[in-house]
Amino acid sequence: MSSIYDHGVDYSSLTRATTIPVEKLKDPSLNISYVRLQWVDLINNIRCRVVPLAYFLKLLDSSRPGIGVAKAALGLVYLMTTPGFPPSGEYLYVPDLSTIRLCPYAPGEVAVLGWFNEKTPYPGLDNKLTLDVPLCPRTILERVIKESSKARIEYLVGFESEFILLKSTKPVVAASNHSWTATNGFPSGSIVAKTLKEIADGIQSSGIELQMYHAEAAPGQYEIVTGPLPPLEAADALIHTREIIYNTAAKYGLRATFAPRIYMDSAGSSAHTHISVHSKNNEKVPDKLSSIESSFLASVLVNLPALAALTMPTQASYKRMVDGVWSGGTYINWGTENREAPVRLANATSPSSRNFEMRFVDGTANPYIALAGILGAGFAGIREKVELGIKDCPGPKTAAQLTENERQALGIIQRMSLTWEEARQNLNKNEILRDSVFGAEWTEKYLAVNQTLADALNLDGNDEVAAMTRLVEFY
């Protein structure tokens, strides 16, 4: 029945990432010499240790492969250490051998992600010995996914990576000026065109599906769209994609920045996150959301004021999320193909490709933490069978353009967190996220590190020019 309505590529929830098997690291044709052991901290910095292949292989032959990383590393911003993260103590960072990918920007090198472990087992919440580190972003996301899987709920996640190419950061100067999705965004032979082509080639050579790239609306702004994967693998692929973007741009003398909004007279940069919800026990039909899709969406919307602290974690984030600039706006609502809603229902009548575009995520957010929050909140709604109380707002008027009575009729009665401070307060009092998804101790430490980040990004005081330079050099 739905075949008449279906359009777009049909991805299965069994879709998996393409990575390099560990046994191929010694393949002479790959010429691998070094391994980058990478992790993403609580402020979304990608950090790494570069290890010669010979030593990495020795590590793999040891009883517990891994490298030591100071526990303070998860609370570090520049050289500012967050209270509660003392210089003592060390984690074992254990490579996840399913994540090995070529680094196209560094010939002869591969990157691998991993898990933070304690060196000594300790009793967990169930009183069984564990090595898990509750602060580890990948561990948190994996736990959320497993909880959903027990209920036979699966997800696919795809990302749009928006970024701006700069030819200077002091002052901030874009590498190009162009119209939205116009060919003048990458004229043949230009540095920008060469950079984008090499980024595109690098993404694909790393085993990540590239769907498209194009010029966006702001000066120097571009978008890379990659294919959907299960959540953990999608976040891993996003991190590798960002590394390719950063490093390839640097090769051509450019700075790629994922800062939320540089130009106040143009569009900001987001990390639009497309999520489809799957269950063999819940068939999708063309004319309406399935019950699990509906409950998932309902709970995400209810928890949006608190989710913002995870998905828009910097003060700069709130310069992007305003009304009238295609960012998703400030009213909590959803809409079929409505890009001025924080959640856009994409491909609404095509069950095989229908997904939710989360427009309230930007490139300063750690994708593991952002996904854990969104999926954790959504699954809580599925588990509790939460009813969707907000009606579709498909336009042509956006929620901000509706009258108060018109918004009330659609059930649009709440605003997004409008400031960084408000988002932090909402997270701290949100029982689902604070107590169930992340835990009170994690939330306290995350908010502490987030405060240190804000302090670091505000070191320039009222000097807006210097503050913008600091932002684009940090993200």
Side-chain angles (χ1 to χ4, degrees), residues 88-166:
S88 59
E90 188 171 77
Y91 294 127
L92 189 69
Y93 190 65
V94 180
D96 179 348
L97 299 180
S98 70
T99 67
I100 302 172
R101 285 191 169 93
L102 288 172
C103 297
Y105 49 84
E109 297 187 19
V110 295
V112 59
L113 292 153
W115 316 95
F116 283 104
N117 277 188
E118 292 288 357
K119 288 189 170 181
T120 304
Y122 69 96
L125 295 176
D126 56 2
N127 289 319
K128 294 180 180 179
L129 290 180
T130 182
L131 297 167
D132 289 348
V133 173
L135 279 179
C136 176
R138 291 185 84 243
T139 297
I140 295 168
L141 178 56
E142 184 191 42
R143 174 174 50 77
V144 169
I145 295 166
K146 285 182 176 179
E147 289 174 1
S148 294
S149 295
K150 290 177 184 177
R152 298 185 178 182
I153 304 295
E154 308 289 344
Y155 311 99
L156 283 176
V157 178
F159 287 102
E160 300 173 11
S161 296
E162 293 179 336
F163 58 96
I164 289 179
L165 293 176
L166 302 173

Side-chain angles (χ1 to χ4, degrees), residues 154-311:
E154 308 289 344
Y155 311 99
L156 283 176
V157 178
F159 287 102
E160 300 173 11
S161 296
E162 293 179 336
F163 58 96
I164 289 179
L165 293 176
L166 302 173
K167 60 183 179 183
S168 168
T169 61
K170 295 179 181 179
V172 173
V173 180
S176 57
N177 283 286
H178 48 76
S179 301
W180 174 77
T181 207
T183 57
N184 67 354
F186 33 87
S188 295
S190 67
I191 291 295
V192 166
K194 293 176 182 177
T195 302
L196 292 170
K197 174 67 162 51
E198 193 164 322
I199 288 171
D201 290 344
I203 289 170
Q204 294 174 93
S205 70
S206 301
I208 298 169
E209 182 185 45
L210 174 68
Q211 293 186 337
M212 70 184 76
Y213 68 90
H214 66 97
E216 268 291 351
Q221 187 183 42
Y222 300 91
E223 179 177 82
I224 297 281
V225 183
T226 50
L229 289 166
L232 185 63
E233 296 175 50
D236 292 343
L238 177 64
I239 294 305
H240 200 70
T241 297
R242 287 177 178 171
E243 280 290 275
I244 292 171
I245 293 170
Y246 279 131
N247 286 285
T248 306
K251 176 180 175 180
Y252 286 95
L254 303 176
R255 168 64 183 177
T257 175
F258 294 86
R261 198 175 183 190
I262 295 178
Y263 303 103
M264 296 305 111
D265 59 350
S266 192
S269 295
S270 182
H272 295 150
T273 304
H274 292 257
I275 300 175
S276 57
V277 187
H278 305 266
S279 173
K280 291 181 180 179
N281 301 329
N282 202 262
E283 184 180 356
K284 297 181 182 180
V285 295
D287 56 344
K288 64 178 181 179
L289 295 175
S290 69
S291 60
I292 62 165
E293 288 175 313
S294 180
S295 291
F296 177 89
L297 173 59
S299 194
V300 168
L301 294 172
V302 166
N303 291 283
L304 252 183
L307 284 170
L310 310 172
T311 64

